[in-house]
Amino acid sequence: MKKLFTSFILIYCLSLGAQDIQDIGFQASPPYETESSMITSFDTPLSIGESFEEAAEKNGIAYRTFSELAGVENGYYIVSGVFSNDKNLAKSIKKLKKKGFENAGAISNDSNGLHYLYLAYYPFGLEAVDACTSQLDGNYKQDVWILEVENSNEIGGDNLEESTQITATDNFSLEEEAESVSTGVKIHENVNKTKLIQRADHYFDKMWYAEAAELYEEALSKGDKYRSKDIVQKAADAYYFNTNMEKAYEWYHVLYENYGKELSADNIFKYSHSLKGTGKYARSKRLMKLYDKKVKEEGLDKPKIERSEMVLDNILGSEREMELKNLAINTKYSDFSPMFLDSTQVVFASAKDSSIFSTRKYKWNNQPYLDLYVAKINEENEDLKDAIKFSKKINTKYHEASVTFSPDNSTMYFTRNNYGKKLKRDNKGVNHLKIYRSTKVNGEWTEAQEVSFNSDDYSTGHPALSPDGKKLYFVSDMPGSMGKTDIFVVDVLEDGSFTEPRNLGKEINTEQREMFPFFNGDKLYFSSDGHVGLGGLDVYESVYDEEEGFQEVKNLGKPINSNKDDFSYIVNDENQQGFFASNRAGGKGDDDIYSFKRLTIEEVPTNQNAIAGVVTELTTGDVMPKALVELLDENGIKLKEMETDEDGSFVFEDLDSDTKYTINTVKDQYVNNEMDVSTLTNETVEVDVALKRLEEMIALEDGIKKIKTDMIHFDFDKSYIRTDAAKELDKLVNVMKEYPGMVIKIESHTDSRGSRAYNEYLSDRRAKSTRDYIISQGIDPERIESATGYGESRLINQCDGTVRCTEEEHYLNRRSEFIITKM
């Protein structure tokens, strides 16, 4: 925003940031949790003389190698799942982090469009094998495998942001590369400050960025002797704060050429977003990787943006079907911050000059001060008309903007400069913003009073009431803020007082700027330059859940968002039409208000309930066409079945809402995979299914070959085969059918409770019961060499009766195991 909006907001932001610019409930059955771990705990130590391949094969660990992955560090990644769906991937990463896997992340393979979820990364292969054999110190007992990445980015390298490899997701062109070549401009450390530069510094310190930028540009044009780091940075910042991204990029690029990785995290962030603001997305993504590293080095509190380039690619690759209209009421000045007064009128802020004899200009950007205006909604063409100034009791000679109204329109909140008889400033000379409240008496707005949580030492602004008027959301840089500006909320009590402000937390707020909240009761809309976006401020939404709070933040995408500033978004829930502001190309002035509407409002079908997914091979992550997928009801009765398409996908439609189903996936030479999935109302539930080869159930443990299934457990003092045990025995039967020469021994065990003699008798019954079930599934009795019960003689933990143990610990000892004696 090149003019007034910038001034208003950046005063608000204390010049902490520029104006250019992702919890959720987890799915019912996440990938790979229906299988036992194919990696069990082994006692055999690893030898440093072994190769990675030798160690992995000796311990029965599956592995695969990828080469030439852009932006991925060489090394070894312990993979727990393969995803085709970004939403499920993000959920899984979040769940793993909550479980303590702080380094969990994902690797994308552009060649097959799949994403590989990893638990941990190791630079050396034997480290990864050791982690697998220990089940990551006992913290993860499900199926994993190792992905080796080679011929990509150097281990521990500092050049991730400089990778010039062109991939399908880079959107990088030779023209863009040419634009990033050296300018040849050199920076000198010692430069005498002329009167011209001193005057520019004076304007800059007072945040008069339009005039400061003009003077810095004049000085820099005189040659190298004026080009110090301080002057170049201030020139870049002045353009950046005034959202002239082309000029900001020009001077940030000079800084980067001269200082490179020595630049601060803040400078790299601004450089990256000036790149976005000029459409250079690929280079911006590489700079953001350097920014993430800088943040970590400087100890800033910033959670890593997981796979931000993947999120950005998704935003770039999708566009909503909408019609935008630049409104008739827009001027050559800044027009923004629309808000519904009622169903027929909108109040907005504008810097248009309405004076007759003189105009008071705001030095930040040489525009008149902001006032509030009200206009009628033209329902025929989604436009605003007949704009007039709002109440004289509200508008003053300084800034007023960002208004919100109570449900009965009897109370309004708005933003104004900290202003009495004159502007009030803090000890640094900064005039902060405050929220004011006015009530309507006899149809007229009364003199506004500031709210109790204002301060002379920080700013509050951008008020937004909830539909019931009981919560007031606002923006502030008060103590306790996570970033440059955060969104807060207070409860509005019956007597008109407020509770203490509460920060909305890291699900919404970042270390950068969050601004312009609008809450419709179900979703919070706001603008930010801290979440992954297209450049400048982007508009985001977050669904509100009464129990879990605000959910995953989503970018609204194009055409609402652009590579410029997009903000102050409001929407009418009944017709899904609304307004927002932007300083994108093609507008009438600096910030213009746009209306939007969907080109076609689709009627919601009576039944959109569906379960869809992709079947992949567990070890390689390759998609699996022609796998049979069965849909079972809660009682195990088959309802539907289909084969996966060539891309491994399947979908079951027209299902009951909020109903539990089972997805059973079958393919020759693979272990069946059963997943419990619950449908939602008028939504498609995405699942990812991974199939494990039958041969991978054969493992070498302490020199003994075993068929590895989930342990076949029994209820206390019982020997019958439970339903869950039958499913595991079915996997064993499939392995034996795949290897017709295989002969096994069955060994059954009990816990230590009861007499030894009785436990031997009970375990023998369990072994025989297990043998009988296997034979009943078509296995020749001659292929079962023995079925023996060992009682409590082979406990797998310390629960021998001498220590107190939980029921869960005793439960682990009640099991059956399967030893391969012949293949």
Side-chain angles (χ1 to χ4, degrees), residues 246-265:
E246 289 78 9
K247 294 297 293 184
Y249 160 71
E250 177 184 328
W251 292 113
Y252 284 133
H253 186 60
V254 170
L255 280 177
Y256 186 75
E257 278 188 315
N258 283 267
Y259 295 96
K261 304 177 190 66
E262 296 177 13
L263 288 178
S264 68

Side-chain angles (χ1 to χ4, degrees), residues 92-216:
S92 295
I93 291 174
K94 182 173 181 180
K95 183 178 181 182
L96 287 173
K97 288 183 178 294
K98 286 183 177 179
K99 288 185 174 182
F101 294 97
E102 293 297 328
N103 296 318
I107 293 172
S108 295
N109 186 343
D110 295 333
S111 65
N112 59 17
L114 296 175
H115 314 299
Y116 297 80
L117 174 66
Y118 63 84
L119 301 166
Y121 160 80
Y122 297 90
F124 304 107
L126 293 183
E127 288 183 298
V129 173
D130 185 54
C132 287
T133 57
S134 70
Q135 297 182 328
L136 282 83
D137 295 327
N139 294 318
Y140 195 85
K141 303 182 186 301
Q142 309 303 321
D143 287 330
V144 294
W145 54 281
I146 297 175
L147 173 59
E148 179 186 8
V149 175
E150 61 181 14
N151 301 326
S152 298
N153 289 111
E154 179 183 353
I155 294 176
D158 294 336
N159 63 337
L160 290 180
E161 80 286 356
E162 295 174 350
S163 170
T164 57
Q165 182 178 8
I166 300 175
T167 69
T169 59
D170 268 345
N171 295 321
F172 196 79
S173 66
L174 295 177
E175 180 182 356
E176 179 178 319
E177 186 69 80
E179 290 177 357
S180 65
V181 297
S182 174
T183 62
V185 176
K186 299 297 181 184
I187 290 179
H188 303 274
E189 295 301 324
N190 298 314
V191 173
N192 293 326
K193 289 196 173 184
T194 63
K195 290 184 178 179
L196 179 67
I197 294 174
Q198 291 176 26
R199 193 160 82 253
D201 286 347
H202 174 71
Y203 289 151
F204 187 91
D205 291 341
K206 297 185 72 172
M207 296 185 288
W208 296 356
Y209 292 121
E211 293 191 0
E214 183 178 342
L215 295 180
Y216 284 130

Side-chain angles (χ1 to χ4, degrees), residues 400-430:
E400 284 82 28
S402 300
V403 62
T404 186
F405 298 94
S406 63
D408 60 1
N409 276 335
S410 65
T411 303
M412 66 178 290
Y413 299 84
F414 63 95
T415 311
R416 177 189 283 170
N417 296 94
N418 184 6
Y419 163 67
K421 293 183 179 179
K422 62 179 181 178
L423 290 177
K424 298 179 181 178
R425 303 184 184 275
D426 65 12
N427 55 14
K428 295 182 180 179
V430 176

Side-chain angles (χ1 to χ4, degrees), residues 624-677:
M624 299 193 69
K626 298 189 181 303
L628 178 65
V629 185
E630 300 173 332
L631 180 72
L632 312 176
D633 67 11
E634 199 169 4
N635 298 315
I637 298 174
K638 185 191 298 185
L639 303 176
K640 300 180 182 181
E641 68 177 28
M642 66 176 58
E643 285 190 344
T644 55
D645 291 337
E646 290 303 313
D647 60 358
S649 65
F650 66 91
V651 59
F652 293 109
E653 298 178 306
D654 299 322
L655 306 180
D656 294 333
S657 61
D658 300 315
T659 302
K660 292 182 180 179
Y661 292 94
T662 297
I663 298 293
N664 183 40
T665 308
V666 180
K667 191 171 178 62
D668 288 344
Q669 301 181 357
Y670 288 86
V671 180
N672 293 2
N673 185 323
E674 282 195 1
M675 299 177 65
D676 294 326
V677 184

Side-chain angles (χ1 to χ4, degrees), residues 8 329-330 334-339 346-352 370-374 400-403 591 593:
F8 178 58
I329 51 90
N330 288 319
S334 187
D335 307 283
F336 68 101
S337 202
M339 179 54 64
V346 166
V347 175
F348 64 97
S350 178
K352 67 178 180 178
L370 295 163
D371 275 333
L372 294 174
Y373 291 77
V374 59
E400 284 82 28
S402 300
V403 62
D591 304 311
I593 300 175

